[in-house]
Amino acid sequence: MMVRGKFITFEGIDGAGKTTHLDWFREQLASRLAAHGRQVVMTREPGGTPLGETLRGILLNQPMDLETEALLMFAARREHLAQVIEPALARGDWVLSDRFSDATFAYQGGGRGLPRDKLEALERWVQGGFQPDLTVLFDVPTDTASERRSSARAPDKFESESEAFFERTRSEYLRRAAESPERFFIVDSTRSIGDIREKLEEVVASI
Ligand code: TMP
């Protein structure tokens, strides 16, 4: 019988540095899995499907009601699960996603203040009990993240949010991590790239 693959997500506030490590992590994982004839499917949220990428363009650029924003995030996620994540895991591949539902709790819940019970209801609807096998959370103080953001490209709707917004977003990520410590690996993203890679190597070796 085919063994199901694993689902790994990368999370963190904008400017936390997760993108710096994503491709490298995928390569590490891919070379480990190649020996077993498995592949790594790299994907992202919002996005990951043609419909999801269309929704991403709208979500990142258009102002909208907060509940609409949360519903569209979960609509894109449902499509992503059905078209990409579930089929890949079922055929034994591993999936590495740049963000997943922790981001909705952190941004729409923590950052924007949407009540958690609404997000929990959507999460149950869209995912049932499904959660990542591992979530790597890049944690960094908001002032460091804001410095890193200002040297990047032109900001989208979320990246232009205030420092207070990112404080609330970061706190909600940390609350989610404390709630499910067995699922989360928290990276101190103030450390050097070399230090962080050493930690991530241990993570890859342990899964
Ligand atoms: P990215 O810049 O890491 O690709 O993420 C896109 C933006 O979308 C980022 O600012 C976080 C935001 N986002 C949410 O607000 N809610 C979500 O559920 C997801 C997946 C992303």
Side-chain angles (χ1 to χ4, degrees):
M1 199 191 80
M2 178 60 85
V3 181
R4 245 177 107 76
K6 291 200 175 180
F7 181 42
I8 301 172
T9 59
F10 269 34
E11 297 280 2
I13 61 172
D14 290 276
K18 73 182 159 55
T19 317
T20 311
H21 298 282
L22 209 50
D23 278 341
W24 177 86
F25 187 89
R26 182 188 54 75
E27 279 163 27
Q28 298 289 306
L29 202 58
S31 52
R32 209 190 124 213
L33 293 178
H36 307 278
R38 312 271 188 114
Q39 303 209 330
V40 180
V41 174
M42 174 79 204
T43 186
R44 68 172 180 182
E45 289 205 352
T49 65
L51 175 61
E53 291 294 326
T54 302
L55 291 172
R56 179 188 178 90
I58 297 169
L59 280 160
L60 267 52
N61 297 299
Q62 238 171 262
M64 64 184 73
D65 173 77
L66 170 55
E67 305 219 355
T68 311
E69 189 173 278
L71 287 162
L72 288 181
M73 290 291 180
F74 271 105
R77 184 160 301 131
R78 181 61 233 148
E79 193 67 11
H80 195 201
L81 278 163
Q83 303 294 341
V84 176
I85 301 172
E86 285 168 355
L89 298 178
R91 63 176 183 261
D93 288 339
W94 288 37
V95 177
L96 177 58
S97 185
D98 185 352
R99 300 190 185 282
F100 192 62
S101 52
D102 294 309
T104 320
F105 281 83
Y107 281 78
Q108 282 65 50
R112 296 221 201 284
L114 189 69
R116 202 188 300 156
D117 59 340
K118 292 195 172 176
L119 294 172
E120 285 167 350
L122 287 171
E123 188 183 45
R124 257 194 314 279
W125 179 8
V126 166
Q127 292 164 228
F130 179 81
Q131 287 292 347
D133 296 287
L134 169 73
T135 297
V136 182
L137 173 58
F138 290 82
D139 183 54
V140 77
T142 52
D143 53 350
T144 309
S146 127
E147 276 164 33
R148 289 181 183 170
R149 280 199 305 279
S150 59
S151 59
R153 57 199 155 70
D156 63 34
K157 195 175 89 183
F158 295 102
E159 289 160 347
S160 342
E161 281 292 346
S162 66
E163 193 142 338
F165 171 92
F166 284 110
E167 284 290 355
R168 296 192 298 273
T169 304
R170 181 189 184 200
S171 299
E172 177 62 10
Y173 268 132
L174 291 171
R175 191 198 64 77
R176 291 274 285 181
E179 199 176 66
S180 307
E182 68 296 338
R183 171 163 75 86
F184 277 84
F185 183 86
I186 301 179
V187 170
D188 174 357
S189 213
T190 60
R191 307 293 296 267
S192 71
I193 291 178
D195 281 358
I196 292 174
R197 284 190 178 173
E198 256 176 51
K199 290 274 169 225
L200 292 178
E201 268 169 7
E202 289 169 26
V203 173
V204 172
S206 70
I207 42 179

